Amino acid sequence: RLRSSGNGIVDDEIVAAPQQSARHVGTHPSQADHSELHGFSLVIRLLAGRSRAGALSRPVTSQLDGYIERLFHRSSEIVTQPTFVTAARRLVETVVANDITHVFCVPGESYLPVLDAFVDFQDRVRVIACRHEAGAANMAVGYAKVTGKPGVCFVTRGPGATHASIGVHTASQDSAPLILFVGQVARSDRGREGFQELDYRAVFGTMAKLAVEIDDPQRVVEIATRAFATAQQGRQGPVVVALPEDMLTEDAGDRLPRRVVPAKADLDER
């Protein structure tokens, strides 16, 4: 930007504007670079117009020449890359595809990308933030009993998951379909006693119908769909799915979610 003196004359100094910090989750860095270059070029054009009008002194014009040269040099090095859909986004799309209208959670940093993705579906899903994980899980169980659809609960790792285990046990005892999504440490930190790390397969293996961890972002739709099917088919019950935090921001591939139609036991027809 230019500094303006009190008499309305532009000073001979260019002050670098502070960089804006922004996450471009789901886009490659080059996409952000192009956006930045576009805005930069507009500023350059404005300043260049003032220069031609004589509003800028020679030193400032010289600086502009340098900026323009670096701008075009940087632009020539950028290769456009396609955007991608994150695993967090595909997970939320799977929840929406299965006609879930309410999700219960205690927000945690281990699954923030999922909460970000829910923002785009506020007209389809209401996210209810609870004070305690046991309450969130029990509310999801109540949702399952009232609607007949799986209750969905999100909690953070470690103590969040163990608090929610009360609801998992209730769902198991009451044969209520429940899906508990739990944040997990990054895959590179597993087995190193990372902050609040737990082996969720071991903790919930005897309590839930299925306890699984998603290691590959391109399997998030597959495993989330399996969770919905397992919770509803046969004797209904709880499923626990662990979500490594680094996996949630990676490319989930092209597989699209679909609604699960649970298989019937045919007991009423015999």
Side-chain angles (χ1 to χ4, degrees):
R1 68 181 186 272
L2 298 178
R3 287 180 176 173
S4 178
S5 59
N7 57 8
I9 300 176
V10 179
D11 290 343
D12 296 344
E13 181 179 1
I14 291 182
V15 182
Q19 293 184 350
Q20 299 294 326
S21 60
R23 292 197 308 270
H24 294 271
V25 178
T27 62
H28 291 281
S30 61
Q31 298 292 321
D33 291 340
H34 274 299
S35 178
E36 179 182 346
L37 287 174
H38 177 67
F40 193 22
S41 65
L42 293 178
V43 174
I44 292 297
R45 291 174 186 173
L46 174 62
L47 294 178
R50 291 188 178 183
S51 177
R52 288 193 298 270
L56 302 180
S57 63
R58 185 175 299 277
V60 177
T61 305
S62 178
Q63 291 185 51
L64 287 177
D65 291 338
Y67 283 143
I68 293 173
E69 182 179 354
R70 291 198 299 272
L71 171 66
F72 284 103
H73 177 72
R74 183 179 177 187
S75 180
S76 64
E77 294 178 348
I78 291 180
V79 178
T80 302
Q81 298 182 20
T83 58
F84 64 88
V85 178
T86 64
R89 172 82 181 197
R90 287 292 190 227
L91 177 61
V92 172
E93 289 176 352
T94 304
V95 172
V96 172
N98 283 277
D99 196 28
I100 304 301
T101 58
H102 293 71
V103 167
F104 307 91
C105 74
V106 174
E109 55 84 22
S110 61
Y111 66 96
L112 283 179
V114 176
L115 296 176
D116 287 340
F118 270 118
V119 172
D120 294 333
F121 296 92
Q122 295 182 72
D123 59 331
R124 303 281 300 277
V125 181
R126 182 180 176 186
V127 178
I128 300 177
C130 306
R131 298 293 184 90
H132 195 278
E133 290 84 0
N138 283 325
M139 291 169 74
V141 172
Y143 174 89
K145 292 179 178 180
V146 169
T147 65
K149 297 181 290 188
V152 175
C153 180
F154 283 87
V155 297
T156 194
R157 56 186 175 240
T162 53
H163 288 159
S165 65
I166 299 171
V168 175
H169 184 264
T170 300
S172 178
Q173 292 281 293
D174 293 354
S175 299
L178 169 71
I179 304 176
L180 177 68
F181 292 102
V182 184
Q184 174 63 301
V185 297
R187 289 164 293 181
S188 59
D189 294 331
R190 286 184 305 193
R192 298 180 175 179
E193 295 188 10
F195 180 62
Q196 297 182 337
E197 179 187 5
L198 277 179
D199 182 347
Y200 297 107
R201 296 184 182 93
V203 172
F204 292 100
T206 60
M207 193 185 308
K209 293 184 66 178
L210 172 68
V212 64
E213 186 165 318
I214 304 178
D215 296 321
D216 184 354
Q218 301 209 8
R219 296 189 64 195
V220 66
V221 173
E222 171 200 340
I223 295 177
T225 301
R226 179 186 174 193
F228 275 94
T230 303
Q232 298 178 83
Q233 294 179 166
R235 179 183 174 182
Q236 297 181 336
V239 172
V240 178
V241 182
L243 308 169
E245 58 185 4
D246 59 322
M247 179 274 301
L248 291 172
T249 57
E250 293 183 357
D251 187 356
D254 298 328
R255 181 168 182 172
L256 298 176
R258 60 179 178 82
R259 183 173 182 177
V260 171
V261 180
K264 296 182 179 180
D266 274 346
L267 296 179
D268 295 336
E269 298 179 5
R270 295 181 181 180

